[in-house]
Amino acid sequence: MERSRIREYFNFTRKERNGIIALLGLLFLVWFLPEFLPDNPGFDPAELESFKKGIASLAEKQEGIPKNKDDTSSHSYKMNSSYGGQGRNYYPAGPEAQQFPFDPNLLTAEGWKKLGLRDKTIGTIQRYLAKGGRFLKAEDLSKIYGMSTKDYERLYPYVRIENKAKEKMEAPSAKMRKFESGKITKVKIININEADTSDWIALPGIGSKLANRIINFRNKLGGFYSSDQVAETFGLADSVFQKIRERLSCPPTELRKLNINTADFDEFRAHPYIGYRLANAFLQYRRQHGEFKNIGDLQQVMLLDEKTYRKLEHYILVEAVHE
């Protein structure tokens, strides 16, 4: 009986035998393939030393090139110390460079060209300014991708930034007025529990999709108790929220609350702070222990963490079930 079982265990079908033969053939090929490949010539230390000497010779030649006040880079190679740790590369310098006082927020492409910057770096600066970026201090030049260390050190003493550029970057809390068509207007503050789609769209960085998401999130919650809750809206970047934060107000309001002793699974699950797992946990607790006596009983539910509890306590109502 035992021998029959062993023989049956090693009895393979034709398809299985073909697979085993193919696998053995593949292993054989992998094992002996290196024997038929050409030998690796290996590492040659002499070539490395020769390469190092060439690099050292090039560096000496670079240091020996004379420089004058009007032309600091016409025949030299500059080291590109890219912002953000992208590495350092050598590239030929641009045309003859000039040096003169300039405001990086107001300088034209032609002006940057006269200062000796490459077209690629000039394009980076122009795109940065076009998107609303501003230079607040001379050190900000070093943050431009493609700005070499030598260019930065050469231009740094000539940077002159007007105060107007700094004023544009002040936070809304520090500057609550803006110029529009020559008129001074007050920045509009919105009530986040009453604002409609048009109110949200009027804020910087908020489009129609985000406006609708914020309103839908507010409706599912039952109202906001804090302006910080707006930041929890799906798809709302923190950078955008920081821009609009000072324009949001949240006066005390009556929130729509959920009676935890009568709510069913769908009502629980629909709330953004509860979801599927907590809905099940609340129902299981209610079946095992009976009604919740107070809001503090929620902390007995194992899946409910402290942070979620602090949010939920604003939306939970505990009322006994009257038969």
Side-chain angles (χ1 to χ4, degrees):
M1 184 69 177
E2 186 68 25
R3 183 178 300 174
S4 175
R5 286 184 178 178
I6 295 175
R7 185 166 53 251
E8 182 179 342
Y9 181 78
F10 287 100
N11 186 24
F12 300 103
T13 65
R14 182 177 179 182
K15 194 172 185 179
E16 290 172 337
R17 287 197 297 272
N18 290 338
I20 294 173
I21 293 172
L23 180 59
L24 291 175
L26 181 60
L27 292 174
F28 179 83
L29 179 62
V30 172
W31 183 268
F32 290 99
L33 184 61
E35 299 295 332
F36 300 97
L37 294 177
D39 293 335
N40 189 349
F43 172 72
D44 188 355
E47 291 185 4
L48 177 60
E49 291 300 324
S50 177
F51 177 75
K52 287 182 177 180
K53 289 180 180 179
I55 292 297
S57 176
L58 179 62
E60 290 175 1
K61 290 179 181 180
Q62 178 186 354
E63 292 298 330
I65 295 177
K67 298 181 181 180
N68 54 54
K69 184 175 181 181
D70 295 327
D71 185 1
T72 60
S73 59
S74 59
H75 299 289
S76 64
Y77 284 85
K78 294 190 175 184
M79 179 176 287
N80 178 18
S81 178
S82 304
Y83 179 67
Q86 298 297 326
R88 295 183 174 183
N89 302 305
Y90 289 99
Y91 58 83
E96 292 187 0
Q98 301 177 19
Q99 293 174 335
F100 52 84
F102 67 96
D103 185 342
N105 294 303
L106 305 176
L107 194 63
T108 63
E110 291 75 13
W112 288 110
K113 193 79 172 177
K114 290 179 181 179
L115 289 172
L117 295 190
R118 295 187 308 158
D119 291 338
K120 191 172 182 180
T121 306
I122 295 172
T124 301
I125 295 173
Q126 295 295 309
R127 287 191 292 274
Y128 172 70
L129 294 174
K131 291 181 179 180
R134 288 293 181 271
F135 296 96
L136 298 183
K137 53 186 181 298
E139 288 80 1
D140 291 345
L141 272 181
S142 64
K143 299 179 181 180
I144 295 298
Y145 183 88
M147 178 71 69
S148 69
T149 302
K150 289 186 178 180
D151 277 339
Y152 168 69
E153 292 176 352
R154 177 172 58 85
L155 298 178
Y156 177 85
Y158 298 95
V159 176
R160 305 288 187 271
I161 298 177
E162 296 183 7
N163 292 331
K164 291 182 180 179
K166 295 183 181 180
E167 291 174 0
K168 290 180 180 179
M169 296 299 293
E170 288 181 2
S173 59
K175 188 177 182 63
M176 295 304 292
R177 298 188 303 174
K178 61 181 179 179
F179 291 94
E180 292 182 354
S181 303
K183 297 181 179 179
I184 299 177
T185 58
K186 292 184 178 180
V187 175
K188 183 178 180 181
I189 307 296
I190 67 171
N191 183 334
I192 59 175
N193 281 311
E194 298 178 356
D196 56 20
T197 306
S198 60
D199 293 326
W200 288 106
I201 293 176
L203 298 176
I206 304 295
S208 58
K209 286 186 178 180
L210 271 179
N212 285 320
R213 285 179 184 174
I214 294 171
I215 293 175
N216 288 336
F217 181 53
R218 181 182 68 192
N219 293 338
K220 288 180 179 179
L221 283 174
F224 292 123
Y225 64 82
S226 169
S227 298
D228 291 337
Q229 289 179 281
V230 175
E232 300 174 18
T233 304
F234 176 77
L236 178 62
D238 182 66
S239 58
V240 175
F241 174 71
Q242 296 303 328
K243 288 181 181 179
I244 67 174
R245 188 173 191 171
E246 298 296 334
R247 303 190 184 188
L248 308 180
S249 68
C250 186
T253 186
E254 185 175 351
L255 302 174
R256 187 178 71 251
K257 297 191 176 184
L258 193 65
N259 186 351
I260 199 170
N261 283 323
T262 59
D264 58 22
F265 177 78
D266 290 332
E267 290 176 307
F268 278 135
R269 185 179 61 175
H271 198 282
Y273 291 156
I274 298 178
Y276 183 89
R277 294 179 62 205
L278 274 180
N280 272 327
F282 288 163
L283 291 177
Q284 290 297 330
Y285 182 90
R286 209 164 65 189
R287 292 191 189 102
Q288 295 174 12
H289 304 281
E291 296 182 2
F292 289 90
K293 303 299 187 299
N294 52 62
I295 295 178
D297 286 347
L298 282 174
Q299 294 179 303
Q300 302 301 318
V301 178
M302 298 297 295
L303 291 179
L304 182 62
D305 57 67
E306 180 69 18
K307 183 179 179 180
T308 306
Y309 169 74
R310 293 303 174 190
K311 292 179 179 181
L312 268 179
E313 62 181 352
H314 297 276
Y315 299 99
I316 293 300
L317 179 66
V318 180
E319 291 183 349
V321 179
H322 300 288
E323 297 182 355

